[in-house]
Amino acid sequence: MPTTPRDLLDGFLRAMLDFSPDALADLFADEAIYEFVFWTPHRGPSQRYDGREEIRAGFRAAWGAVSRPPLTGLGEVCVHETTDAEVLISEGEMNAVNHATGRPFTSRFVLVLRSRDGRIVHLRDYSDVLRTAAGLGRLTQLFDQVHAESAS
């Protein structure tokens, strides 16, 4: 089990690349919070998962409908240590492919990770939702979802 914030970040990125909701969720404390800063319609109004099992269920639902994971690797990842030993900030790129078109794309992210006792207790995810939707050919669908949810 990873013990340092950097180990946890490495495990997080590996779980993302492996498209493994269980490996991802197992990095989090029981009462952890996973926040999505940029609004995505399918996540509902809270835009966060509360607790390890909600994180697991949320990623299982999101990734379970995907026949072939789009992520192909990491681009540049930069880790910024902070004066708080529990917190690190990471910025980087995820490389992916749209399997329907064969076109590769890159999406950027910033993560603010807080850990305690060898587990992630809070993660704030600033992933580029628009670039990912465009790369997957789902930008129109995203805008339609945004419009539908904002009209209700």
Side-chain angles (χ1 to χ4, degrees):
M1 182 68 198
T3 56
T4 69
R6 182 60 186 257
D7 291 339
L8 289 164
L9 173 66
D10 291 343
F12 177 89
L13 295 173
R14 172 77 339 208
M16 285 285 175
L17 289 172
D18 291 345
F19 239 53
S20 174
D22 291 322
L24 182 76
D26 289 344
L27 297 168
F28 287 81
D30 289 340
E31 302 301 319
I33 295 171
Y34 190 127
E35 287 185 274
F36 301 92
V37 177
F38 298 122
W39 184 56
T40 305
H42 68 273
R43 288 197 186 103
S46 74
Q47 297 296 298
R48 69 187 238 174
Y49 297 135
D50 292 305
R52 178 187 306 139
E53 295 315 311
E54 195 170 304
I55 293 165
R56 186 183 318 277
F59 278 94
R60 275 187 182 159
W63 292 347
V66 177
S67 61
R68 291 174 57 195
L71 300 177
T72 59
L74 291 170
E76 183 178 339
V77 175
C78 182
V79 177
H80 306 280
E81 304 289 334
T82 70
T83 57
D84 184 336
E86 293 183 340
V87 176
L88 64 78
I89 300 167
S90 172
E91 56 182 318
E93 299 175 337
M94 286 279 199
N95 298 321
V97 65
N98 178 328
H99 292 296
T101 65
R103 289 188 182 146
F105 66 95
T106 299
S107 185
R108 294 181 179 92
F109 64 86
V110 172
L111 302 171
V112 179
L113 182 150
R114 177 177 292 277
S115 69
R116 193 169 298 126
D117 300 326
R119 300 272 185 187
I120 300 170
V121 295
H122 190 204
L123 188 109
R124 195 168 285 131
D125 185 332
Y126 295 83
S127 292
D128 188 341
V129 175
L130 290 176
R131 187 180 305 265
T132 300
L136 292 172
R138 297 183 186 151
L139 200 51
T140 301
Q141 177 186 357
L142 177 67
F143 288 146
D144 289 347
Q145 287 177 310
V146 169
H147 183 262
E149 284 193 22
S150 63
S152 54

